Amino acid sequence: VSSDKEITLTDNSTEPATKVGLQSLIFDISDIYTEKPDSESPFKLAAKTLLHSTIDIEGKVKPFAEKISFDADGKLKGFDLRAASPATKKAIGHIIKSGQLDADLKLLAVDGVLDSNIGLSLYHFNIKASSKADADKLNKKFGMPLNQTLVLLRDKDDSIHLDIPI
């Protein structure tokens, strides 16, 4: 499957509405055998987001297995975090003022059991409370102000690197 058309998702439950999407999508999967549900099918996914970041994932999947299995590696490069600001405002009462995200993806599931890892790198990530009440609510949950928490995570070059097992 390949398309130069925009594929968009709009979440009208946020204010303003969150609009995200893909363009220049390429998805390739081969060696699909429905009569052999435990056979592996190699796949590749590549796309650009509407804000020019890139997604590249490659691996193998057992799409017809009773319990899905896959093993893939991928990268997300240059995602502008401001696009997620309406969702963060809705979820935690904060807006994203700036930031860019890169992710190294190690995606693994064996017989339906997920055992993956995501390496996140955030660059120049800055967040601000929508109101004092929102700030106080989140600060109480964390036990300290969110921006102080972020300062503890920042490297000298104003980046934050997290390794998240899933």
Side-chain angles (χ1 to χ4, degrees), residues 31-79:
D31 302 334
I32 299 174
Y33 302 111
T34 56
E35 62 275 349
K36 295 181 181 178
D38 287 326
S39 63
E40 289 186 332
S41 300
F43 75 93
K44 292 180 185 179
L45 170 71
K48 291 182 183 175
T49 69
L50 297 179
L51 297 174
H52 309 292
S53 57
T54 59
I55 301 167
D56 290 295
I57 302 173
E58 185 172 347
K60 295 182 179 184
V61 63
K62 294 181 182 179
F64 300 109
E66 186 175 324
K67 294 184 177 180
I68 194 165
S69 294
F70 54 82
D71 187 356
D73 293 318
K75 291 193 179 298
L76 170 66
K77 290 284 188 189
F79 183 77

Side-chain angles (χ1 to χ4, degrees), residues 81-103:
L81 289 167
R82 293 175 298 177
S85 196
T88 59
K89 182 178 179 184
K90 180 181 175 183
I92 62 171
H94 286 61
I95 59 169
I96 298 173
K97 293 177 62 178
S98 65
Q100 184 174 325
L101 170 75
D102 290 347

